[in-house]
Amino acid sequence: MAHVKKQIRDTIKTTLTGLATTGANAFDSRVYDLQASELPALTIYPGSESVEYLTLNRGSRSKEHTFEIGIDAVATGTSGLADTLDLIEKEVVVALSADPTIGGLARDCFFVSSENIISGEGDKPSGIRRMVYQAVFVTLETDPETAL
């Protein structure tokens, strides 16, 4: 089994695959540039994490993780680009709000911030709506693969 952080990203990817605007174009930790045929799209990637120990019993310490998940909505277009990014953000927010426990992996998951990056370089104007979510989950120090 994978670390709970990976399980969370996988579940978010599954949840976001098939949205009306981005369809099957949801990618986890995408490194390479998106192709025109893959747009509009979502990319999901891990962000920063902070940890707080809940118990101090050696050998069975429990930790509360606050884990950031970045979700980039990527689109191109000569007009209505901001509207498309707004629509994708709405679809993401609605989809992720339906299960804030991410299938029982997290105690909570919530929207924290968004940022726009618009560029006129290249063949068509492009935009990224960078959304940040935080997932709060608990594991034992000795078992990072199981959410408590």
Side-chain angles (χ1 to χ4, degrees):
M1 189 179 284
H3 195 291
V4 172
K5 291 186 286 191
K6 169 73 168 133
Q7 295 175 56
I8 287 171
R9 288 195 329 273
D10 288 348
T11 302
I12 288 174
K13 179 182 179 281
T14 299
T15 300
L16 299 181
T17 299
L19 297 181
T21 305
T22 52
N25 297 329
F27 307 97
D28 179 27
S29 302
R30 176 83 179 231
V31 177
Y32 300 105
D33 289 340
L34 294 164
Q35 302 303 308
S37 61
E38 298 172 314
L39 297 176
L42 293 167
T43 58
I44 299 125
Y45 53 91
S48 64
E49 175 183 18
S50 62
V51 176
E52 181 179 334
Y53 282 86
L54 301 177
T55 59
L56 297 176
N57 304 331
R58 286 198 174 134
S60 63
R61 291 186 275 214
S62 59
K63 304 186 307 183
E64 181 179 77
H65 306 254
T66 302
F67 173 54
E68 288 188 350
I69 302 106
I71 302 169
D72 284 357
V74 184
T76 59
T78 54
S79 65
L81 183 56
D83 295 339
T84 300
L85 295 172
D86 287 343
L87 178 60
I88 295 169
E89 180 180 315
K90 178 202 71 143
E91 292 172 1
V92 167
V93 168
V94 168
L96 293 180
S97 295
D99 180 12
T101 69
I102 313 173
L105 293 167
R107 301 264 170 110
D108 200 2
C109 182
F110 46 91
F111 185 77
V112 176
S113 66
S114 70
E115 171 187 9
N116 289 312
I117 303 166
I118 305 292
S119 173
E121 296 178 18
D123 295 340
K124 290 184 182 178
S126 63
I128 298 172
R129 173 76 47 88
R130 182 156 289 152
M131 297 167 271
V132 178
Y133 275 78
Q134 282 187 342
V136 178
F137 65 95
V138 176
T139 64
L140 288 177
E141 184 174 55
T142 56
D143 186 5
E145 298 177 333
T146 305
L148 302 179

